[in-house]
Amino acid sequence: MGKVVVVATVLGAAAVCAAAVGGLIVSRRMKNGAKWSRTIEILRDFEEKCGTPVEKLKQVTDALIVEMNAGLHSDKGGRVKMLISYVDNLPTGEEDGLFYALDLGGTNFRVLRVQLGGKDGGIKHQEFAEVPIPMELMIGTSDDLFDYIASELAKFVTQEGEEFQLPFGRERELGFTFSFPVMQTSIDSGTLITWAKGFCIDDTVGKDVAEELAKALKKQGVDMHVTALVNDTVGTLAGGRFSNKDVIAAVILGTGTNAAYVERAEAIPKWHGPLPKSGEMVINTEWGNFQTSNLPLTEYDKALDCDSPNSGEQIYEKMISGMYLGDIVRRVLYRMAEEASFFGGTIPPKLGIPFILRTPDMSAMHHDTSADLSVIGSKIKDILEIPTLSLKKRKVIHDLCRIVATRGARLAAAGILGILKMVGRDTLLSCNEKQKSVVAMDGGLYEHYTEFRECLEETLKELVGDKVWEHISIEHANDGSGIGASLLAASHSRYLEPEVKESQDDIVVVPSMLSED
């Protein structure tokens, strides 16, 4: 009997232990189930708040038009500055001769030269070089920076081959694309308001950047005149118009975003003095600073803005441009890790680093079509140092990338619709069967993020309707701002015949301030 009791006792203890283990397993499953439910809840809540139905997009467009009209009336009219570019005659395709360009907008700059062939000749030859800017020059002195740029430009000039011909007795002319906030006072002058993108050179602020470059070129012994100072979006428009006479606007969707378009001069109340003979003026919208209550802002967007050095500014840009999209994805993933243990028991340290997840990484994950979403697994391993991730979690990340990209692309399309409305090209009545409304597009986001690009175009088609869409075309203008600057130097050359330059002589200088971003 004693043995039976012992056996029964052992069996009873085993049963209790098994029940306890089973209870732990069930409890763990319940907890895991709750965590997964929370993950999906965060994802769906974010998707709902990012919603961009057609009616909302049209409200965004209408609000943008109100801001654009206010900017045309006054430099202090609103957030969208609508800056006068002093470009009243875009390239016609008949430009002839050798022209240079300098494109400065980040940690590298490009120098270009183009040989134009006149009517029907197009661009006969072109060459370029890209030069990195040493970090110490980005925080040094104005003289040091411009002397360095001029010295590199001087080297580039010495490599000018026989296929590039400068007419006898002429000085080389240069178009200067300067993608920082300046107060533009004419086609070839403008004073720096503030630096951005990692530059911090106090003694340049308040100086005419075209004059600073001219001074440095003279010091280097380079015989070259700065003929045009332009924003990169205006340069892209000029390059697009040179290739296609139907180009009416240019949009940049890259690290940041901006747009420029051709406006009737008489529709610009803040323009004072005689109207240019062409009757037109290129407007640099600076639309990145657009803001309206109709934008589908989420708590993640608000946190990103709050953490940025320009909090309260460039809200539209922060929702649609390449610098920010990847970080919005990161912020949602951080919430999932924090509230739903998405990456396990602890939050990956790397996930807390702002901008560690870049938009090119997001694009690669969004474009992952493999059965096991292996690209997403590799990216998460490389960036966040998480060795394994289940397929269902990879699918969540794929969905998250899609949501952020779709919202950005659809909002960008609403902006383009705003420009079409401003120039009266948004209805069937305004469509000329023989004429297209072409928008020149540049920027790495548009060029490389296929899902973003296709969504933008599909959304614009949805907004204007099939019939109007037949008359609209979006064309990629690779390196538009650099080529465009050289073309604007050509179309504003000091050596043009008097009758060609007559429209320029009628322009009265009216200072106009670029926004600080």
Side-chain angles (χ1 to χ4, degrees):
M1 285 294 293
K3 290 182 179 179
V4 173
V5 171
V6 169
V7 170
T9 302
V10 170
L11 289 173
V16 170
C17 184
V21 170
L24 287 172
I25 292 173
V26 170
S27 176
R28 189 176 294 117
R29 285 175 177 170
M30 289 178 67
K31 286 182 178 179
N32 288 340
K35 289 175 181 177
W36 183 248
S37 295
R38 180 58 184 148
T39 294
I40 300 304
E41 183 183 350
I42 291 170
L43 181 69
R44 296 306 166 217
D45 178 66
F46 178 64
E47 183 171 29
E48 182 180 348
K49 290 176 179 175
C50 286
T52 50
V54 168
E55 285 310 309
K56 179 176 278 291
L57 291 179
K58 289 182 177 179
Q59 290 171 352
V60 169
T61 297
D62 291 343
L64 176 60
I65 291 171
V66 169
E67 285 286 307
M68 293 172 79
N69 279 312
L72 289 178
H73 276 78
S74 168
D75 281 336
K76 297 180 181 179
R79 290 180 173 272
V80 181
K81 294 300 183 184
M82 303 296 282
L83 304 166
I84 295 171
S85 69
Y86 296 89
V87 174
D88 73 321
N89 57 314
L90 287 163
T92 62
E94 298 186 10
E95 289 76 17
D96 190 14
L98 171 63
F99 295 90
Y100 278 76
L102 166 65
D103 192 346
L104 176 62
T107 54
N108 298 295
F109 67 88
R110 287 165 64 88
V111 287
L112 306 91
R113 60 173 151 252
V114 299
Q115 184 74 47
L116 302 174
K119 188 173 183 180
D120 300 323
I123 298 175
K124 296 175 67 177
H125 307 288
Q126 61 175 301
E127 292 179 342
F128 75 91
E130 189 160 331
V131 184
I133 301 175
M135 185 63 67
E136 62 269 20
L137 293 183
M138 296 173 65
I139 55 174
T141 69
S142 185
D143 285 347
D144 287 344
L145 175 65
F146 283 100
D147 285 350
Y148 174 72
I149 292 172
S151 67
E152 292 296 324
L153 188 50
K155 293 176 188 176
F156 188 65
V157 170
T158 62
Q159 299 163 4
E160 196 176 277
E162 293 182 359
E163 66 271 30
F164 295 93
Q165 298 293 322
L166 183 70
F168 179 76
R170 287 193 181 187
E171 185 180 30
R172 291 178 181 84
E173 294 187 275
L174 175 134
F176 184 12
T177 300
F178 187 74
S179 302
F180 298 92
V182 303
M183 179 184 290
Q184 188 114 13
T185 52
S186 70
I187 185 60
D188 60 358
S189 63
T191 57
L192 177 67
I193 299 170
T194 183
W195 286 104
K197 306 174 189 177
F199 285 80
C200 185
I201 307 172
D202 289 341
D203 67 334
T204 317
V205 176
K207 292 182 178 178
D208 184 336
V209 291
E211 191 176 298
E212 289 293 290
L213 177 60
K215 183 174 67 176
L217 288 170
K218 186 176 181 181
K219 196 184 301 183
Q220 292 290 331
V222 181
D223 187 26
M224 185 175 290
H225 177 73
V226 181
T227 301
L229 175 66
V230 298
N231 174 271
D232 54 353
T233 316
V234 176
T236 300
L237 176 55
R241 176 63 69 88
F242 182 81
S243 303
N244 188 331
K245 299 299 180 290
D246 291 333
V247 168
I248 59 168
V251 174
I252 290 180
L253 281 166
T255 303
T257 184
N258 194 11
Y261 74 103
V262 182
E263 181 60 273
R264 292 176 298 110
E266 62 184 17
I268 311 172
K270 68 181 179 183
W271 175 261
H272 302 291
L275 296 177
K277 290 290 178 65
S278 67
E280 297 180 335
M281 180 62 66
V282 174
I283 295 295
N284 165 21
T285 67
E286 290 291 334
W287 77 1
N289 203 38
F290 170 56
Q291 188 172 340
T292 173
S293 60
N294 295 305
L295 289 173
L297 281 166
T298 68
E299 60 265 42
Y300 309 101
D301 300 295
K302 293 172 183 176
L304 183 151
D305 175 55
C306 186
D307 293 341
S308 68
N310 60 342
S311 181
E313 304 293 328
Q314 302 296 106
I315 300 300
Y316 186 54
E317 179 172 85
K318 289 170 183 172
M319 299 180 75
I320 72 172
S321 72
M323 181 171 180
Y324 304 100
L325 299 184
D327 201 58
I328 295 171
V329 171
R330 179 194 68 83
R331 288 172 182 271
V332 180
L333 287 176
Y334 192 93
R335 172 72 63 83
M336 291 176 174
E338 187 177 45
E339 297 185 8
S341 300
F342 187 75
F343 294 108
T346 59
I347 299 173
K350 291 288 184 71
L351 190 59
I353 301 174
F355 298 101
I356 192 171
L357 184 65
R358 302 174 308 118
T359 299
D361 301 317
M362 168 189 166
S363 172
M365 292 192 294
H366 190 178
H367 291 139
D368 188 358
T369 57
S370 60
D372 61 350
L373 297 177
S374 57
V375 174
I376 293 176
S378 296
K379 285 290 182 182
I380 295 300
K381 180 180 179 181
D382 294 343
I383 298 167
L384 301 181
E385 298 180 352
I386 297 168
T388 58
L389 196 67
S390 67
L391 179 58
K392 70 176 184 178
K393 289 185 177 180
R394 295 181 191 188
K395 289 179 178 178
V396 166
I397 295 173
H398 190 273
D399 264 2
L400 185 54
C401 294
R402 172 188 57 77
I403 292 166
V404 173
T406 298
R407 182 187 66 168
R410 287 177 68 81
L411 289 175
I416 295 172
L417 176 60
I419 289 178
L420 292 173
K421 281 179 172 289
M422 288 293 289
V423 296
R425 298 288 187 93
D426 63 309
T427 67
L428 198 57
L429 291 176
S430 63
C431 292
N432 183 331
E433 287 189 10
K434 297 181 179 179
Q435 187 179 45
K436 284 267 190 180
S437 298
V438 180
V439 179
M441 298 284 294
D442 198 9
L445 180 65
Y446 178 82
E447 181 180 1
H448 301 298
Y449 202 148
T450 306
E451 290 284 350
F452 185 99
R453 180 176 66 248
E454 291 178 351
C455 180
L456 184 156
E457 294 176 358
E458 282 299 317
T459 303
L460 189 56
K461 179 180 178 180
E462 183 181 10
L463 288 170
V464 300
D466 292 344
K467 293 295 185 180
V468 175
W469 177 249
E470 292 176 4
H471 300 274
I472 296 172
S473 177
I474 297 179
E475 296 184 359
H476 180 223
N478 191 30
D479 191 31
S481 61
I483 293 293
S486 65
L487 293 169
L488 286 171
S491 63
H492 292 79
S493 171
R494 296 186 298 165
Y495 301 102
L496 289 176
E497 295 299 322
E499 62 270 19
V500 179
K501 286 195 67 178
E502 187 176 1
S503 65
Q504 291 298 300
D505 297 334
D506 283 340
I507 293 180
V508 176
V509 172
V510 182
S512 184
M513 185 175 292
L514 272 72
S515 71
E516 296 183 2
D517 301 286

